[in-house]
Structure formats: structure tokens, C-alpha cells
Amino acid sequence: HSLILTVTGSLFAFGDGSQGALGLGTMTSTAQPAQVDAGALRALPVRAIAAGAQHSLALSASSEVLAWGCGKNGRLGLGQESCDIVVSPTRVPEMAEPAAFIAAGGQHSAVILRTGVCLLTGSNQHGQLGQQPSQLACTSIFLALIGQWQAVALGTSHSFLLGHNGKVYSCGRSDKGQLGTGSVGVMSSTLEQVILPPGLAVVGLATGPEHGLVLASPHRPNAKLSNKSDVFGERVQAPAQQNMEIYLRDRSPVQDVESERCISLADGQIAIIKGGDYSIAPGMSPTDIHESSISPGVCTSARFGGMDVSALRGLVNAAAVASQGSSVAEEELHRSLSNVLANPTLMNSSFCFPGLYRPRVDADGLADAFDELWSLSAVSEKQQSQLRNAAMQGLERWAGAPQSWKDFPPCLVHKDQIRGLAVLLLSPLVSEPEACTEAFVLMTRLVSLLAALPHEGRMAFVSIVVEDMVHVLRSVLVLRVRSFCNAAIRRGVQVRDFNKSVWEGCLVLDILALASSLIQQRLSEELLVGSGPTGAEMHHTVSRLRNKSLRSTSDLAAVANAPGGLDENGSTPKGAGFWMPEAPVPSQDLELEVLAEGIVPPDVEFALFLQNAQAKVPTTEELVQLRPHDERLHSFMVHRRLLPAAFIRRVLHVENHYRQNLQHQQGFQDMIRAALAGDIRIGPNGGMLNVDVSTFYFPINVRRDHLLEDTLEALQDAAPADLQKQLKVTFRGEEGQDSGGVSREFFRLLGEQLFALQSMLFNSAVAEEARVLWFDRASPRDPLDFWMLGVVLGLAVYNSLPGLDARFPVCIFRKLRGEPLGLEDLGEVYPAVASSLRALLAWKPAEDPPREDIGELFASTFCLDFSVSYEENGKSCTEELKPDGANLQVTLENRVEFVRLYCDWALTRSITRQFEPFQKGFGRVCTSPILQAITGDELARIVMGESDIELDRLRPNAKYEGFTTESQCIVWFWEALQGFDAVHRRLFLSFVTGSDRSPVGGLGELQLKIQKATSDANRLPSAHTCFNTLLLPEYTSQQQLQNALVAAIENTEGFGLE
């Protein structure tokens, strides 16, 4: 059989297919070249090929090896479980290093890795694997050969290898002298040197079934040579290239062959072509052969015909400077782009950084090039349409018709098969799907293919995004897919049907959300271990070099999270904290605006949820593994990361009413049964029934001055079914009817008592430091009080009364949802402790001591063991974090475990007595599937509402020094605060008090002091956060004051403002 590799990286085969060597998925033979795109070669760019007697090998763009054909004796290297015949290209198990060279023989195969290691597999009957046949008859796993190698060629039962020392070695069968060692009829299982005339530099090898060929070049003795390692470690010099000679060694003496065009080989002859007199092959001169073509780590195939970013920019620039009326450059740009878009193999090999063994997309450079292209008038609307048609053709070739994807997902599982899909998502061809119908149609097909990928393919797509597309994830990828989802939902609302495009778009957006989470996790891990290169690669690309660099990953994280970035000296601002990195895509950027607008009726979504997802709500991890036709995807509530809090609240409100109506219906049925049994009295007016209100509602009758006691009594007496009824509150001695207002008053008054520090339920030190409510582990209150707290919180949610003034940290709601907690959650409750633990994890010695001294220096610096000491009710207490923890020192190696155990103790174990009844109380009321489907962060927003900061509440208690309430500057100051949006209100509060949270009890609990600054009016305001004091210069105009105040709060970090 024969294989053909095109310049675009596509593979064709023809000939005998009875052993599956063609890779067409069948054992059919063909006389016409057929493209090999079955199995793992679907849309895969190939950079090298090798055809054996009955099997084939290919080398992918990522330097991975694929094999197919006859697998007898393990020649494919697919492992112990491989079949005798493999009809489709199959990926060889991953090797230690990228592959650089492949060869296929009669019954064995070879791979040379980038490091020069040669691996062999298959039959060793004649010692062709370089080992004794008595010890190894055959192997289906690639085994390493001793030495460092440049090239290899395989015959039927013998092997030729070119070492780094420039010498040729051989092993295997030698009954016809095919090893070139001067002996005949002797098998050699050890590498022996091939005898060649002196003064030649070997630059190539080839073999026939029973003969070998060496391509060599005579060199000048005084030529400048480069050093290379000998195959067995000795340093030798490699010759400069001159004329080339081909040696075909066999049993007979050397004879000159006088031929201009070809070499005729008779059995038992050696043919030599003298360099300079004859051409080596038709159309090839000696200078066409270069040493680099067989250097370690460089593939022997031709360069791909794909387009890189620099080529695209060149075409764009040429089109931009083309003279008026000249369309040659524009036509070239259009033709080149069309060719790439229509060819999946080209798309997968294009727009990558040049010279890498494993391709990486130049995403930043490509995004810039596309922006430049679309900003020109060079691409007309007609050409845009043609480019989109080309892209549609490419998607059709990529995976066939979408109708077949339901039962048979596209066989696209590797990054080399999927990279072009991410590139297409970057292109402006799919931008603005809401405004352009053609863009929407193309995006529909692209999203459909991405959603149809098998799980391995989705993870490969995520890997491409994580490794290559960090900068464009938020600004391009998420924006494009979110816009498509909004457009698809709007179309679905218009036709009253949400088709598969809606759910496929949501699934792809979920996959991008997963990529964002993985990037955040990767950066966090890098901060812990202090590694740098990966972070630098993620944030810088060759096409977008800047005049600044990051010294380490910790610098990167500090800059990414410090509002001020680097100062003028390129250093981290003084006082910038060592914080864990934010996700590259904020949660609000994932939310679908169309759902926040109320276009989708909440009752419609609730019906979708009941119909498709109620039985088994998938977790976030399960979600990205579901097939697109899985009905559980067909509900917005399943796609939790995409939902605005307002939409969740509306759907939850519908569900609450639905469940309350069920209780009403049950009440009517109970009433009818009671009437039939004669248990209901007829009233004096005739026909009027005296029915207990508890049949339909959950009534609570309380006294204002005994609110907690009466509420606890009512909750204790209520059955779980009673709590599911609509709440009706009455205050004793008052005639108000509860249509919602009385309930809100009840919860407000109850919250003032329950969520006050005087209730002794919460830790006052945490409330002062972190401005959140956290359970007091030393609380004298009965666990029943914490149970009531949970029930009250559940009732507020169930009766659609969110917005309780309960300053719980978000981690409380994560605990309610059973989500794991960590150092970031600890920072919500104990910020100072969390900061110390971050410093523990980030610690590095100031100098560079010997490695054996680092551990001792760490231990003497922190002096910690696996126990925690704290004060409770005036007594000092110690608790071990693990068995015998007091005798176990915290070291450099176990510090991560210490932090994990400390977080678990502080957030879970230390408050078990308080949290468990609280959780049971909340769960007694809130058992709905929708509540179970949302995350802790979303539950926090539902319970506490969208917290806003009312700066006007600072005004009544404000004090002034150097000013009065009537001072013009003070009047302007309060007017400026009234004009702030939510973001600037939080910035101002953080600027003055050091925290962007209101204290427990609200901003009215703070006393703001405004002091006239002694500096001139050209200075910015400053603050003493410890005393809630604002130093305000006396500005001469309102605009000057507002500009200075905004500049100050937006550009400060740490202590002191320059």
C-alpha cells in the first residue's frame, strides 16, 4: 500500500487494504487515493507518515504517534489489549516526550523522541529490536534503545539507526548482508557499526525489504564544525555539508553506476552516485537535502500549508494599502481565508505560534488581526457571506451532518482535532448573532458541533481555552456564546418554543465557565507552589510582547488582584495583599441578560424544570458531561452559573406558590372529607362553614413584647407539612390582615432580635473584625435557638420574603449546600487569620540558603504544630487538628495540610453544636428541588437580597472638624455621594473604613468624621480607616471635589496614599 501526505497535513492512502493498512475504517482495497479521516485522524493535521509492509504510522501536529493496520506481534505499539487488525488510525499510548521521527518496517516500528531516545516495538524474531530473541520474542509496547539517535529506517527484519555521533548502526537479520557490517548469514541482536568509507558525513537513511541505503556527504577537513553528543556519550564533530553520496550496501564489491535519473539495483550490488555529477532523484539536487531534516526533534515532512497570524496580518496590511480600485490584494485575502475556513485540517494547524512541538494558538494576535480585518472596508458584505459559506462547508467536513450526532458523537477527542473550532469562535464571522442572521446560522452550527463533542473532546476544548485563550475568554469567547444564547432565547420566546439551539448554547457557555474555573484553580495552585512559567505563558504571547514582564507567578497574582497594579518602579504597591486570583470571567459576565429582563415567564421555566430536571438535577460536574439531547439540559435552572439572581428569585416564587397551592388543595380535600363525616359545623347564617384557618395556612399569632418565645412555640408545635403552607401572621390585640405586609413586619422585628449581637447567638469579635454574623462556639444559648434561626431563615425564603438584614458570610450558605470550604471562605470570617495562613503558604526564604536548611528556617520562623489555641469564656483552650497534633510540627512539606485542617476546624468542627441544628431548621422548610439545584452563592443573594449601601445613613451621625454642616464643601460632598453608583459607594466605604461591608446593624452604626485637610486643594482626599476619618481639602468647586474624590477611591490600595 502507499500513503500520501499533502502540504495541508491531510493523508491519503491506496493499495492493499486487506490488513487495514489504509486506515479507511474497512479492509477494502482501493486503486484510487482516498482521504484517511477515520478514527483519531478525523480533521487531524499530520506532519509525518511511515508505511510498513502491512501497517502504517502517522505523526500528528502535536508530535503524537498514531498507528493502524496489521497488529500481529505488537508492531502497532498499542499495548497488550490491541487487536490483530486495526482498521482505523488509533493513538499510541502517550510517550514521555514529543515524538520527532517515525519508521515502519516489515513487522516492527520505531519512534525517535525529541530528546533523541529511540523506541522500538513489534517482532524481535531476528533481533531487529536490538535485544536477544531468546529474551524477547516480540512486544506490543515501545521499548527504549540505549543511545541517542537522529534517524531510523526499518526493513523487513532489520533496522538501521543514525546516532548523534554521525555513525550508522544496524541490527537484525543479515542472511543477505543487509546489515552492512561485512558479514553475511549471521543474525545480530546487538547494534553493530555499518562500514562506510572514511571522510563522509551521513545525513540520511533508507531501507528496502532486504537492503539498506545511506545518504552521505564528503566534507572538508578544516571546515567549521558543530559539537554533537556521541551516541554513547563521546563528544565528536559533525561535518559541514558538501556533495551528497548514496551508498547501498550489500554483499558485492562497490561499483560505480553511471545514471542520470535513476538507480537500478541488482541483487547483491552496491550503487554509488558521485556528488555533483548526477541528480539524486528526479527534480532534486544535492542542496535539497539538509542536515536539519533529520536532526533530533525535527519532523521530516514538508511544512504545513496553514496560515499563521503574521501571514494573515500581511494579507490584511496589503489589502489596507491597496490602491483605490485595485482588488488583487483583497481577492488574495479572501481566497486564502476561504481555503483555510473550508478545510478542517488547515483550521486545526493554522494561527499557531511557529516552531513549537506542541501547537499553541496565538489567540491574542489572531484577535487583533481579526479586529484589523473587520475594521477595514476590504471585506464586503458579499465576501462576508462567502466566508461564512466556506466556514459552513468546513464544519460539514469536520463531523458530517448533525442528524447523526445524537447516536454517534463526532470522533473528535484531541486538541489537534478541535483547535480550529476555538479559532472559528474567535472570528468576527460569528459576532453579533442577534443582528446578523447569517452569523446566527453559522454560530448555530458551530455551537451544535461543540455541544455534540464527546466528554474527552469537550475537555480537549477546555484545555485549549485554558492554555491558549485566557485573554480572550471573557472579551470574545464568552461574549460571543452569551450573545448567541440571548438571541436563541429571544427567537424561542417569539415562536413559543425553545429548540435545541437554546440548550446547546447554554451547554457551551457552561463549558466556558468550567474553563474559567480551571484557570482560577491553576493560578491558585501556582501561587501555592510558587511556580512561574505556566502563569507567564498564560498571560503573555509572542505576538503581543510588551515592555514589562512579571518576575514570578506570585507577582502575577499580586498584580492581577491589586487594584493599583504595579507602581512606577514596577513593584507591587506597598500594602497589597497576597490574595487568591479572581476567575478570569466574573460570574455576572456569564449571566444571560435576557433572563434578567423577564422575557422568559418564570412559570414557563418552572414547568420546564418539573418536566425535564426535577427527577434528577445534575451537579455542575455532571452538567458538562451530558449529551445535548439529554432532557435534563432543557431547563434554565439546571444551568445555574448562567442565571441572574432576579430570575432565580422569580422562579422560586412561582415554585413556592405552586407548593402552597398544593397545600390549599389538600386542605380542601380534608375539608370535604370532614363535611362528609359530619365533623364540620354549619354556622348560624346557614351554609357558612366554620373552618380552622390552619387547614389552609400556617398561622403564627405573636405578642410584640414576647416575639421570640411565641415564635419558637409556634414553630415547635408545627408539623413539617404545616411549614409548607402559606404563612399568616397576626399580632395579638391588633386587627391587621396579613396580605404580605404583616409578614414582612414580623420578619423585620424578628430579625432585629435574632440577628443582633445581644442575642448571644453570634461571635461579637467576628462581627467587629469581619462585619459578618458567625456562630459563637461558646454561645450559652440552647441548640433549639439555632434550630429556630434556621427555620425562620427558611420561612423567609419559602414565603418569598428575601432581603433579611442578616449579615451572614456567603460561606454559611455554601455550608448549607454542602459545598467544600477553604481559605477564601475563612477570609470572610477571620480575615487576619486567613492573611497569616496565606503568608504561611507563600513563604520563601529571603536569601538562598542550602536546601537542607530551608525546612529548619521555616520551622523556626513560624513555630507551629497541628493544634489550635483559643480563649473561651475567659479560659485558654487547645484543640488538636489531628491525632497527636500537638507533637507534630508544621513543616514546609505539610503546611498545605495544616491550612486545610485549620480551615476545616474554624469553619466546621468548632461550630458543629450551633450549625447542625441551624441546618436542620432550614432544611425543615426548604426542601424544594429548585433550592437544591442552586449554589451557595446564589442562595446567599436570594436570602439577603442584592445588598446595597445607603451612604445617606452616614449623614445623621457624621462629625466635622474644620467644617460645619452648612459649609459649601460639605454640601457638595453629600451631593457627590448621592450621585455615586453601587460600585463607587462600596469603593468609598472601603476607602474610609477599610471594608466595603456595612457593619452589623447597618451604616447607622458607623460614625464618619470629616476633617478639613491642611493641604492645598490640588491634593486628593485621604483617610484614616482606623478612625473612620476622611481628610477632605477645601475645594473651590463641586466638580473639582467630585473629580478628586473619585480619583482617590479608585486609585488607592493599602495604607497611605501618594
Side-chain angles (χ1 to χ4, degrees):
H1 69 288
S2 301
L3 302 178
I4 299 174
L5 179 61
T6 70
V7 72
T8 63
S10 299
L11 179 61
F12 292 82
F14 55 95
D16 181 12
S18 61
Q19 298 296 315
L22 302 186
L24 302 177
T26 67
M27 290 187 288
T28 305
S29 302
T30 177
Q32 296 293 329
Q35 184 169 0
V36 184
D37 59 359
L41 268 184
R42 185 82 177 190
L44 185 80
V46 175
R47 62 169 61 177
I49 54 175
Q54 295 178 329
H55 71 290
S56 304
L57 301 179
L59 189 62
S60 75
S62 289
S63 303
E64 297 182 347
V65 180
L66 298 96
W68 62 96
C70 179
K72 292 181 180 179
N73 299 316
R75 71 191 73 178
L76 300 182
L78 298 178
Q80 301 294 338
E81 304 299 326
S82 60
C83 303
D84 287 344
I85 295 179
V86 179
V87 297
S88 298
T90 303
R91 201 172 306 279
V92 172
E94 187 174 357
M95 300 174 180
E97 293 287 335
F101 200 99
I102 56 175
Q107 298 184 44
H108 63 306
S109 304
V111 174
I112 295 181
L113 304 181
R114 183 171 60 90
T115 54
V117 175
C118 181
L119 306 176
L120 293 162
T121 188
S123 173
N124 191 45
Q125 181 181 359
H126 300 283
Q128 58 263 48
L129 301 188
Q131 300 193 43
Q132 289 289 345
S134 60
Q135 299 178 357
L136 180 70
C138 64
T139 178
S140 60
I141 301 173
F142 279 96
L143 302 177
L145 194 65
I146 296 175
Q148 296 288 306
W149 309 97
Q150 297 187 63
V152 60
L154 307 180
T156 300
S157 302
H158 68 288
S159 307
F160 269 57
L161 294 105
L162 175 62
H164 272 206
N165 59 1
K167 298 176 182 179
V168 180
Y169 299 83
S170 62
C171 61
R173 189 172 183 175
S174 185
D175 61 329
K176 296 183 180 181
Q178 52 264 56
L179 297 187
T181 58
S183 60
V184 179
V186 179
M187 177 191 72
S188 175
S189 60
T190 59
L191 294 173
E192 297 187 18
Q193 185 176 345
V194 175
I195 302 172
L196 296 174
L200 295 175
V202 178
V203 294
L205 301 178
T207 58
E210 297 179 344
H211 62 277
L213 181 148
V214 176
L215 178 64
S217 167
H219 62 89
R220 295 169 297 181
N222 297 327
K224 185 177 181 181
L225 306 176
S226 60
N227 289 332
K228 288 191 176 181
S229 297
D230 179 78
V231 68
F232 300 115
E234 181 184 352
R235 304 293 295 183
V236 297
Q237 290 184 321
Q241 293 186 40
Q242 297 296 324
N243 295 332
M244 307 295 175
E245 299 191 1
I246 298 181
Y247 290 86
L248 293 85
R249 177 165 290 281
D250 214 317
R251 291 183 294 183
S252 300
V254 175
Q255 298 179 3
D256 288 346
V257 179
E258 307 234 350
S259 170
E260 293 185 356
R261 283 296 181 187
C262 62
I263 303 172
S264 177
L265 300 177
D267 196 18
Q269 288 186 335
I270 297 177
I272 303 175
I273 299 182
K274 297 288 186 181
D277 296 333
Y278 305 100
S279 59
I280 294 175
M284 178 182 288
S285 67
T287 56
D288 288 328
I289 302 176
H290 303 284
E291 186 179 5
S292 62
S293 66
I294 57 168
S295 295
V298 179
C299 299
T300 58
S301 64
R303 181 178 299 173
F304 289 143
M307 179 186 296
D308 59 22
V309 173
S310 61
L312 176 60
R313 277 182 166 156
L315 293 172
V316 172
N317 293 335
V321 301
S323 58
Q324 187 68 26
S326 173
S327 60
V328 176
E330 295 178 6
E331 290 176 358
E332 175 66 19
L333 172 63
H334 175 259
R335 185 180 70 254
S336 299
L337 270 180
S338 295
N339 289 338
V340 173
L341 290 168
N343 190 320
T345 305
L346 273 181
M347 281 289 287
N348 285 326
S349 61
S350 293
F351 310 117
C352 295
F353 293 114
L356 299 181
Y357 290 103
R358 299 198 187 280
R360 298 282 299 273
V361 178
D362 183 3
D364 289 352
L366 182 59
D368 287 347
F370 277 145
D371 288 343
E372 294 173 16
L373 171 63
W374 235 240
S375 65
L376 301 175
S377 58
V379 184
S380 64
E381 291 186 7
K382 179 180 179 181
Q383 290 174 328
Q384 292 180 27
S385 179
Q386 292 171 344
L387 290 174
R388 289 190 178 99
N389 289 335
M392 287 290 286
Q393 295 174 13
L395 292 175
E396 178 73 26
R397 295 172 181 171
W398 224 303
Q403 292 78 9
S404 64
W405 297 346
K406 180 176 180 180
D407 299 322
F408 303 99
C411 187
L412 304 172
V413 297
H414 194 271
K415 290 188 287 186
D416 287 347
Q417 298 174 286
I418 296 169
R419 187 173 293 106
L421 298 177
V423 168
L424 184 56
L425 195 56
L426 268 179
S427 77
L429 295 173
V430 294
S431 63
E432 300 181 359
E434 295 185 82
C436 177
T437 301
E438 289 185 346
F440 180 83
V441 172
L442 177 59
M443 190 67 168
T444 299
R445 188 62 173 272
L446 174 58
V447 164
S448 184
L449 178 52
L450 288 171
L453 293 175
H455 180 65
E456 299 90 337
R458 293 178 187 174
M459 293 303 98
F461 175 76
V462 168
S463 179
I464 293 169
V465 174
V466 169
E467 294 172 1
D468 302 350
M469 299 186 166
V470 178
H471 274 131
V472 298
L473 174 57
R474 177 184 183 184
S475 59
V476 182
L477 302 185
V478 168
L479 182 62
R480 296 264 165 86
V481 178
R482 191 184 65 196
S483 297
F484 170 77
C485 291
N486 286 327
I489 293 172
R490 292 183 192 278
R491 291 174 180 236
V493 170
Q494 291 175 357
V495 300
R496 296 175 179 268
D497 178 35
F498 294 129
N499 61 22
K500 65 174 187 176
S501 298
V502 172
W503 312 121
E504 289 171 346
C506 290
L507 177 58
V508 173
L509 197 53
D510 277 313
I511 293 173
L512 292 178
L514 172 62
S516 176
S517 299
L518 290 178
I519 293 169
Q520 182 185 29
Q521 178 182 341
R522 173 177 291 192
L523 288 176
S524 299
E525 292 171 353
E526 289 172 9
L527 289 175
L528 290 179
V529 300
S531 62
T534 304
E537 289 174 3
M538 291 171 65
H539 287 263
H540 291 273
T541 58
V542 175
S543 67
R544 185 176 278 189
L545 293 176
R546 294 180 173 85
N547 295 324
K548 63 180 180 182
S549 62
L550 297 176
R551 296 177 293 274
S552 68
T553 307
S554 57
D555 287 342
L556 171 67
V559 172
N561 294 279
L566 293 174
D567 64 17
E568 62 271 17
N569 299 318
S571 303
T572 309
K574 188 175 182 179
F578 188 88
W579 299 104
M580 302 298 275
E582 297 287 342
V585 183
S587 58
Q588 61 268 24
D589 282 12
L590 292 167
E591 295 174 359
L592 299 173
E593 307 99 312
V594 68
L595 298 180
E597 295 170 5
I599 292 179
V600 178
D603 55 338
V604 171
E605 165 52 26
F606 181 60
L608 289 172
F609 180 82
L610 291 180
Q611 178 182 343
N612 299 316
Q614 182 182 21
K616 189 178 186 308
V617 180
T619 64
T620 303
E621 293 74 19
E622 294 171 339
L623 183 64
V624 295
Q625 302 182 38
L626 298 180
R627 304 304 309 152
H629 58 274
D630 194 311
E631 290 185 349
R632 286 179 291 171
L633 287 174
H634 301 174
S635 166
F636 293 109
M637 290 303 302
V638 170
H639 306 274
R640 297 180 285 278
R641 288 178 284 198
L642 316 183
L643 306 181
F647 180 77
I648 299 175
R649 208 176 287 128
R650 288 195 293 267
V651 177
L652 186 60
H653 182 73
V654 170
E655 185 196 33
N656 292 342
H657 274 287
Y658 169 76
R659 295 188 176 279
Q660 290 168 0
N661 287 335
L662 289 180
Q663 293 299 324
H664 273 277
Q665 293 174 14
Q666 183 64 45
F668 274 114
Q669 293 174 4
D670 293 343
M671 183 186 67
I672 292 172
R673 281 193 292 268
L676 292 176
D679 295 334
I680 295 181
R681 294 182 295 106
I682 304 297
N685 296 328
M688 179 171 290
L689 301 177
N690 294 324
V691 180
D692 189 353
V693 68
S694 63
T695 304
F696 303 101
Y697 301 100
F698 173 45
I700 294 183
N701 185 266
V702 293
R703 295 165 293 176
R704 286 184 180 269
D705 53 350
H706 294 81
L707 193 62
L708 287 179
E709 295 89 334
D710 292 344
T711 301
L712 179 59
E713 182 181 355
L715 296 180
Q716 283 183 297
D717 293 340
D722 293 333
L723 298 176
Q724 301 292 322
K725 298 174 183 177
Q726 185 178 351
L727 181 66
K728 288 291 184 181
V729 178
T730 56
F731 289 100
R732 293 181 193 176
E734 300 180 17
E735 298 180 358
Q737 296 296 318
D738 189 6
S739 298
V742 178
S743 292
R744 283 190 288 272
E745 172 74 0
F746 166 74
F747 278 109
R748 185 185 66 80
L749 295 175
L750 194 61
E752 288 179 356
Q753 296 187 38
L754 278 176
F755 304 132
L757 296 179
Q758 292 77 10
S759 68
M760 294 186 292
L761 296 170
F762 304 105
N763 190 316
S764 58
V766 170
E768 182 178 353
E769 178 189 9
R771 296 185 180 177
V772 296
L773 291 174
W774 186 251
F775 300 116
D776 185 359
R777 58 174 169 262
S779 172
R781 300 297 293 265
D782 190 273
L784 195 60
D785 295 325
F786 292 95
W787 176 86
M788 180 178 66
L789 185 68
V791 173
V792 169
L793 205 62
L795 285 174
V797 174
Y798 184 71
N799 288 274
S800 303
L801 297 169
L804 285 176
D805 190 16
R807 294 291 179 177
F808 287 125
V810 176
C811 61
I812 281 284
F813 301 97
R814 290 177 181 159
K815 283 175 65 65
L816 285 173
R817 293 273 68 83
E819 299 171 11
L821 304 182
L823 187 54
E824 285 302 291
D825 302 292
L826 185 71
E828 286 190 283
V829 183
Y830 301 105
V833 175
S835 180
S836 298
L837 293 178
R838 290 190 185 98
L840 177 78
L841 293 174
W843 180 88
K844 291 181 181 179
E847 300 176 355
D848 192 14
R851 185 174 183 85
E852 58 272 14
D853 295 342
I854 295 179
E856 184 177 345
L857 181 59
F858 175 87
S860 62
T861 300
F862 292 98
C863 301
L864 293 171
D865 55 44
F866 277 78
S867 66
V868 57
S869 299
Y870 57 93
E871 188 172 308
E872 185 173 295
N873 296 326
K875 297 180 180 180
S876 296
C877 304
T878 299
E879 188 171 341
E880 292 184 332
L881 299 178
K882 60 187 302 185
D884 199 29
N887 298 318
L888 180 62
Q889 190 177 40
V890 177
T891 66
L892 196 65
E893 290 73 23
N894 64 20
R895 57 180 172 173
V896 174
E897 181 190 12
F898 171 77
V899 171
R900 178 178 59 80
L901 291 175
Y902 187 94
C903 291
D904 179 64
W905 175 83
L907 299 176
T908 302
R909 288 166 49 191
S910 66
I911 59 166
T912 300
R913 189 179 72 88
Q914 294 80 22
F915 181 77
E916 284 187 352
F918 170 77
Q919 186 177 35
K920 290 178 181 178
F922 184 82
R924 189 176 178 88
V925 182
C926 295
T927 59
S928 75
I930 285 185
L931 267 180
Q932 302 304 317
I934 64 177
T935 66
D937 296 70
E938 293 159 351
L939 180 59
R941 287 189 287 174
I942 290 171
V943 171
M944 297 187 294
E946 298 291 346
S947 58
D948 201 356
I949 294 176
E950 299 178 3
L951 296 180
D952 281 345
R953 297 184 65 183
L954 292 170
R955 194 167 186 171
N957 293 330
K959 286 191 174 182
Y960 307 96
E961 289 186 8
F963 293 116
T964 66
T965 55
E966 290 80 19
S967 297
Q968 185 63 62
C969 194
I970 295 300
V971 174
W972 290 339
F973 168 77
W974 291 112
E975 290 177 355
L977 292 192
Q978 288 179 344
F980 280 177
D981 57 21
V983 173
H984 284 85
R985 286 197 291 271
R986 288 196 175 277
L987 287 174
F988 174 79
L989 187 61
S990 178
F991 178 77
V992 176
T993 71
S995 173
D996 65 354
R997 284 180 178 268
S998 301
V1000 176
L1003 286 181
E1005 299 295 318
L1006 281 177
Q1007 185 175 72
L1008 175 66
K1009 181 184 291 185
I1010 304 176
Q1011 181 179 333
K1012 182 187 290 186
T1014 57
S1015 57
D1016 60 57
N1018 293 322
R1019 301 281 291 178
L1020 297 179
S1022 58
H1024 297 305
T1025 56
C1026 296
F1027 305 102
N1028 303 330
T1029 299
L1030 175 68
L1031 302 178
L1032 186 68
E1034 189 168 12
Y1035 296 107
T1036 57
S1037 70
Q1038 184 173 3
Q1039 189 64 46
Q1040 184 188 21
L1041 182 147
Q1042 181 162 340
N1043 292 342
L1045 189 58
V1046 170
I1049 65 176
E1050 288 184 341
N1051 296 281
T1052 186
E1053 176 69 20
F1055 297 96
L1057 177 65
E1058 298 296 334

